[in-house]
Amino acid sequence: MDISNCNLYDLSKYDYHLPEELIAQSPAEPRDSSRLLVLHRNSGEINHAVFRDLPSYLREGDVIVLNNTKVMAARLFGKKEGGTAEIEVLLLCPLSHDNLAWEALVRPGKRVKPGRKVVFPGGEKIEIAESLPSGTRRVLFEQGTDPFKMMETYGRVPLPPYIRSTDAEPDRYQTIFAERLGSAAAPTAGLHFTPKLLDELERKGVKIAHVTLHVGIGTFKPIAAKDVRQHKMHAEFCSLPDATAKLINETKRKGGKIVAVGTTVVRTLETMVDDMGAAISGSGWTQKFIYPGYTFRIIDALITNFHLPKSTLMLLVSAFAGYENIMNAYQEAIKLRYRFYSFGDAMLII
């Protein structure tokens, strides 16, 4: 796609007005009862369905790829040592092999100078160390402390900042196939699946595969640069199993479609690909930033939620479906009062 003569590198092009009441505060029940906007990227045609209708849009021999990451109960609340002020430590990802050093958000950060400690209900202490370039902090657990046990005991699952009031149980911010602990946020396109729906897809001959990408807090970090090409993507750990790579390559050879469930799966698959366009197994850190002009190597279709304006995710879906198609689809969704963001409705781009 040649966009050199248009202005799709201008961040302001990806803005839109969303009425606040369309920001979903709780998920649909059951999960697969959410609405599904179907966008045909070649024609721009839009259809409206329900998520449980998904099998009717796929064929025998297609592959759906899911992100099996699990959200950590990473919000920990303690008291500043020697004081009464409540301090929140939101753990993002380990910085050391022994899991005693972490990147974290600390609120209110100004109250905790480097070297000070926060004490938690079980008597554990975390030392708040230096600030990191991303605006986060390095925090240090004491020897013998198990951060994952602390999260399991009294941690809370972090929700996106735009979910201010919800009646959802914590497990509704996990996919039903979540198994690899490590995310600071959910891969929300996967929240719509139920066991029954997955069974129906498999009965139709659609194969299910998994990758892992641990979603970082950078997902919610706004783009600061007016020219999107100047944006630096946050790094996230991803893994593509050998079985998934083999299935994808075999499917593409036979003419089947690769359907990515969520932008995290897109970024994983489009990272783990060789020069010939074949999926390669392995794991590591990705800073893959996809915006209009990008040539996709692996995916043929995308299931995704509706994203924040001027976000990296808006750029990714615009790159895949076409800028005009996406902006038209979003205006249609707003007009028909679709529910937006993490607990909202879904879009299928085919």
Side-chain angles (χ1 to χ4, degrees), residues 189-218:
L191 294 177
H192 306 280
F193 286 88
T194 63
K196 181 180 178 181
L197 181 57
L198 289 175
D199 287 344
E200 185 178 344
L201 286 164
E202 290 189 299
R203 285 197 302 272
K204 185 168 184 173
V206 176
K207 296 181 179 178
I208 310 296
H210 295 91
V211 298
T212 303
L213 184 141
H214 292 320
V215 187
I217 204 70

Side-chain angles (χ1 to χ4, degrees), residues 333-345:
I334 292 169
K335 182 176 73 174
L336 296 181
R337 302 191 68 78
Y338 273 68
R339 302 165 73 246
F340 275 59
Y341 305 163
S342 294
F343 278 153
D345 296 315

Side-chain angles (χ1 to χ4, degrees), residues 36-48:
L36 180 67
L37 185 150
V38 183
L39 172 61
H40 301 261
R41 62 187 183 129
N42 289 336
S43 66
E45 179 187 352
I46 295 172
N47 306 130
H48 302 283

Side-chain angles (χ1 to χ4, degrees), residues 66-318:
L66 306 170
N67 182 2
N68 62 6
T69 189
K70 187 173 184 178
V71 184
M72 302 179 292
R75 295 181 71 196
L76 300 174
F77 293 87
K79 303 285 187 182
K80 188 165 67 171
E81 187 175 39
T84 59
E86 184 176 72
I87 305 296
E88 176 187 349
V89 177
L90 174 57
L91 300 175
L92 301 178
C93 64
L95 297 175
S96 61
H97 292 298
D98 61 8
N99 293 324
L100 294 180
W102 283 68
E103 180 182 6
L105 288 173
V106 179
R107 300 189 183 98
K110 292 181 179 179
R111 291 192 178 185
V112 191
K113 304 298 183 185
R116 297 299 299 270
K117 294 183 178 181
V118 179
V119 184
F120 294 89
E124 304 94 342
K125 296 180 181 179
I126 295 179
E127 179 181 332
I128 310 301
E130 75 276 11
S131 297
L132 300 174
S134 61
T136 56
R137 302 285 287 271
R138 190 167 69 95
V139 302
L140 305 171
F141 289 84
E142 296 178 315
Q143 288 291 333
T145 304
D146 183 346
F148 293 100
K149 185 66 175 177
M150 284 181 63
M151 286 188 271
E152 182 183 331
T153 303
Y154 34 74
R156 301 181 197 172
V157 171
L159 292 176
Y162 46 75
I163 297 178
R164 298 186 178 91
S165 175
T166 184
D167 56 10
E169 295 295 327
D171 68 343
R172 287 299 274 107
Y173 195 59
Q174 303 278 13
T175 65
I176 62 167
F177 40 82
E179 60 179 32
R180 296 193 63 186
L181 193 65
S183 268
T188 55
L191 294 177
H192 306 280
F193 286 88
T194 63
K196 181 180 178 181
L197 181 57
L198 289 175
D199 287 344
E200 185 178 344
L201 286 164
E202 290 189 299
R203 285 197 302 272
K204 185 168 184 173
V206 176
K207 296 181 179 178
I208 310 296
H210 295 91
V211 298
T212 303
L213 184 141
H214 292 320
V215 187
I217 204 70
T219 293
F220 305 109
K221 185 178 180 181
I223 299 176
K226 293 182 179 179
D227 184 328
V228 300
R229 293 170 294 182
Q230 305 304 313
H231 179 69
K232 300 301 181 185
M233 199 72 176
H234 56 285
E236 293 168 314
F237 180 82
C238 65
S239 176
L240 198 160
D242 187 57
T244 297
K246 289 179 177 177
L247 178 58
I248 287 172
N249 294 332
E250 178 186 357
T251 299
K252 292 187 80 70
R253 281 195 299 269
K254 293 180 177 179
K257 303 297 185 186
I258 307 302
V259 183
V261 178
T263 57
T264 60
V265 171
V266 176
R267 292 181 60 234
T268 301
L269 296 181
E270 295 293 326
T271 295
M272 309 297 287
V273 60
D274 67 17
D275 293 339
M276 302 299 293
I280 53 176
S281 60
S283 60
W285 294 84
T286 180
Q287 289 182 278
K288 174 71 73 173
F289 179 29
I290 296 175
Y291 51 86
Y294 180 82
T295 301
F296 290 84
R297 312 291 296 280
I298 296 288
I299 74 164
D300 302 295
L302 171 62
I303 298 168
T304 187
N305 278 21
F306 293 92
H307 303 296
L308 276 73
K310 299 196 291 186
S311 64
T312 60
L313 308 183
M314 275 291 288
L315 291 164
L316 187 152
V317 296
S318 297

